[in-house]
Amino acid sequence: MEGNKEIIQQISEGVTGQVKTRHGLAITGAMITPTSRSIDGPPIPEIAITSDEYGRYEWPLPPGSYQMSVFAAGYPKHTLNVDVEAGQVTTLDFILDKHP
Amino acid sequence: MKSSNDSTPNRKQWTAALLLAGIIWPLQAISGPQDRVSSDGMFEAAEVGAESAPMAGKGRERSESFAGVTDVTPEELNLEGVNIYDGSEGKFTDEEYHRLSALPDPGAAGSADVGTETIIPPDTRQQLYTTNYPARAVVLITFRGGRCSGTLIGHNTVSTAGHCVHTGGSSGNWRSRTSFRIYPGANGRSTPYGYCTARSLHSVTGWTRSRNEEYDYGAIKLNCTVGNTVGWFGFTTRNPVGLPSIIQGYPGDKPLTHWLSADKVWAASARQLFYKNDTIGGMSGSPVWYDLNGPYMIGIHAYGQHGRNLHRTYNHGTRITSGVYNNFMYWKRL
């Protein structure tokens, strides 16, 4: 329920957003995985970041260019590129379509 | 009238001052990246000598491991502060399982290439069954927005990666302590030893202020004493190079099941160790261990391949140096 959103942003640098269906419904338990687009990329912790009951996720990441992939049961892998600037939180939402 | 030079200390005064400094200095704590910090605001500088030469082979500290007990009833677990799901016989609720498992169908379309950068082909991971020691002393850690792995190192203490308890760096934050649940020996829907909550989260300033991967480790103090039942791992500062390495935990591409990968430690730097064990998101905090008449951690898994040189070739984690060892011993006693 939108009205019950408890938004406590823990990160001050990285990527945050929502994972939703094309009908706007939140997808819970999707796993979001960043990969650096730079050969000399920074360390990315091997933590499993997952979307919550509102579809939200937060990935603390150092500045750089990343490919963000989302994996959710019943949906094909979906990948988007994103840049993170120093001291900034970039918003990146995923809209997933079910497998045909 | 005094000259301006009268206030300058003479040789005797300098000597006295230096002697005094020589007496006091060893008693002082050194402020540095191994300083302990916690979610309840506690800050403590590391003791003098907390990081004695890890490569010199001097450090051979070794904590004890404990295999736990063979049979335990839910009532006995409850007495140790463990939470057991009412009426579900030690299982995740459907809602929790769906929310936490992320990818409930192994091999489902879209799941095959999760984090392929850190599976060094072929995928050598094996599934474990978790009511045996030491597997049951490895824990699934869940919190708001993610999950990790960890290891019981005492009756109420879990070791894990620093990034599993704090997002890292001076602009980072402690993760939501009240959202933590720690499941010893979880296996799919089964939680044979229930779960514990977190009393406090701990790490060091090298991670919480500097986000330095060399200091990426931490601990969780539990509101239970489940280690008395399931046992715990020891940890050692022994030189890890060439030792067989086992990493086991809860990979994010599997439905809350427990997996192991075996290899060896190919290289070590002063504060990290490097291996080809297959790992993936969710394995952070897993023990990197070998059998020394019992399971002994030599590191805490934290990263896949990135950057250059050893970091590009191997997966890697935080090495148990004397500084790490001392902090784990301190956190065990809290």
Side-chain angles (χ1 to χ4, degrees), chain B residues 247-287:
Chain B
I247 299 183
Q248 59 188 92
Y250 293 90
D253 64 332
K254 305 292 184 186
L256 302 181
T257 46
H258 187 147
W259 292 74
L260 171 153
S261 176
D263 186 53
K264 71 173 187 178
V265 178
W266 291 79
S269 62
R271 294 186 182 84
Q272 289 182 295
L273 61 173
F274 301 86
Y275 37 78
K276 291 184 176 177
N277 302 64
D278 291 319
T279 61
I280 210 162
M283 292 291 283
S284 273
S286 298

Side-chain angles (χ1 to χ4, degrees), chain B residues 61-206:
Chain B
E61 296 103 329
R62 177 177 162 184
S63 74
E64 85 288 3
S65 61
F66 172 59
V69 297
T70 49
D71 294 311
V72 63
T73 65
E75 291 73 25
E76 287 169 325
L77 280 171
N78 192 41
L79 286 175
E80 291 179 351
V82 175
N83 297 280
I84 304 286
Y85 289 108
D86 291 335
S88 59
E89 298 176 343
K91 290 184 176 179
F92 287 106
T93 64
D94 286 345
E95 185 278 325
E96 282 175 318
Y97 183 73
H98 175 65
R99 175 167 49 83
L100 296 171
S101 59
L103 295 169
D105 304 309
S111 71
D113 56 353
V114 177
T116 47
E117 284 197 352
T118 52
I119 299 292
I120 300 169
D123 185 347
T124 60
R125 295 177 297 170
Q126 306 164 46
Q127 188 172 0
L128 289 176
Y129 297 92
T130 57
T131 51
N132 296 326
Y133 178 81
R136 65 189 184 191
V138 175
V139 302
L140 167 68
I141 301 170
T142 69
F143 45 83
R144 191 171 69 80
R147 62 181 169 101
C148 279
S149 303
T151 315
L152 276 154
I153 56 169
H155 70 287
N156 66 353
T157 309
V158 165
S159 64
T160 189
H163 60 254
C164 295
V165 295
H166 189 284
T167 56
S170 55
S171 60
N173 290 297
W174 293 100
R175 297 194 183 279
S176 168
R177 180 189 60 78
T178 55
S179 71
F180 272 73
R181 286 188 174 186
I182 295 93
Y183 301 86
N187 189 5
R189 285 178 176 267
S190 171
T191 59
Y193 302 100
Y195 69 90
C196 302
T197 53
R199 174 155 57 92
S200 53
L201 311 175
H202 302 263
S203 187
V204 292
T205 55

Side-chain angles (χ1 to χ4, degrees), chain A residues 8 10 12 29 39 46 48 50 71, chain B residues 102 110 118 147 171 173 279 282 301:
Chain A
I8 306 170
Q10 287 189 304
S12 52
I39 291 173
E46 286 214 319
T50 55
F71 303 88
Chain B
T118 52
R147 62 181 169 101
S171 60
N173 290 297
T279 61
H301 176 67

Side-chain angles (χ1 to χ4, degrees), chain A residues 5-7 17-19 50-52 54-58, chain B residues 144:
Chain A
K5 275 187 181 179
E6 179 207 9
I7 297 179
Q18 269 187 298
V19 185
T50 55
S51 56
D52 67 11
Y54 304 109
R56 298 172 314 196
Y57 72 93
E58 293 182 332
Chain B
R144 191 171 69 80

